[in-house]
Amino acid sequence: MATVTVRFVFPAVSAEGAAFWIIRTAPISLSDFLWSKFWTGLVPVLLLTEILIVAGNELLGVDPFLKRMSAVAIVFMAFALVGLASGLGARYPRFAADNPSQVAGSYGGVAFMVLAVLFIIVMIVLLGWPSSIYLFAQFRNRALTGREEVAIAVMFIAAAAVSVATFVVGMRTGVRALQEMDRTPS
């Protein structure tokens, strides 16, 4: 998901190239412009990854609880990574780039990939640990204890919170960067 977003979502603002001045003078706000880039990137990324996770889980015969958990996690992660890519793409545009690969390989693209990998590692920890508790209980044919259920719920809530925070910070950073770019020097 991170590689797809760095290749297709991150360069979305830079893809306007030298014609970006038209966007700046258009009767839409730069915030609306960035949100349009976000939604344009989110739909294919979410569809692609959701289809892959559902099909993969079905083919592997994954436990129904873990199927649902991973499908929901992918939604949160898609919002977070596409929001981060859109925001950082607006923060570090390269309007002079000849193709999107140059934009993805720029300082901003590398910064996005580092942050995306860190985000994914955090999500693996926050979702993997409670999933292992659940699987160990299933393997031993015992019910989860109340303490385990609370720990699992807290970790899932923490994963959702990290995803939402990543999404919000990424988009706010991008909107702020575009608005600062729009200001004329005094």
Side-chain angles (χ1 to χ4, degrees):
M1 189 183 317
T3 56
V4 169
T5 55
V6 78
R7 175 62 178 86
F8 296 106
V9 180
F10 181 82
V13 172
S14 298
E16 299 301 329
F20 185 70
W21 68 271
I22 295 171
I23 302 298
R24 293 173 69 178
T25 60
I28 63 165
S29 70
L30 290 174
S31 174
D32 289 342
F33 165 73
L34 187 60
W35 279 101
S36 72
K37 296 294 185 183
F38 168 79
W39 290 112
T40 303
L42 178 69
V43 172
V45 167
L46 183 58
L47 285 174
L48 173 70
T49 54
E50 200 65 50
I51 288 169
L52 286 174
I53 199 75
V54 168
N57 283 343
E58 194 61 37
L59 290 171
L60 293 171
V62 173
D63 182 81
F65 169 74
L66 295 177
K67 282 182 190 178
R68 289 188 299 275
M69 184 272 304
S70 61
V72 170
I74 287 298
V75 172
F76 278 94
M77 291 176 71
F79 270 86
L81 288 174
V82 172
L84 186 63
S86 299
L88 288 179
R91 180 122 183 108
Y92 301 106
R94 288 193 58 194
F95 296 117
D98 294 331
N99 64 51
S101 297
Q102 289 177 333
V103 179
S106 69
Y107 169 78
V110 172
F112 166 75
M113 283 305 291
V114 168
L115 291 173
V117 167
L118 291 174
F119 168 75
I120 292 168
I121 289 169
V122 168
M123 293 302 286
I124 288 170
V125 170
L126 292 175
L127 298 172
W129 182 72
S131 298
S132 68
I133 291 172
Y134 173 79
L135 288 173
F136 284 133
Q138 292 294 314
F139 180 71
R140 294 187 176 120
N141 283 334
R142 68 169 179 82
L144 292 170
T145 65
R147 194 175 213 179
E148 289 172 332
E149 287 177 352
V150 169
I152 288 172
V154 166
M155 296 300 268
F156 287 165
I157 291 168
V162 168
S163 294
V164 169
T166 302
F167 163 70
V168 168
V169 169
M171 288 303 289
R172 282 189 182 165
T173 298
V175 168
R176 196 173 315 117
L178 288 177
Q179 289 169 343
E180 288 173 6
M181 190 185 308
D182 195 41
R183 291 193 184 114
T184 55
S186 42

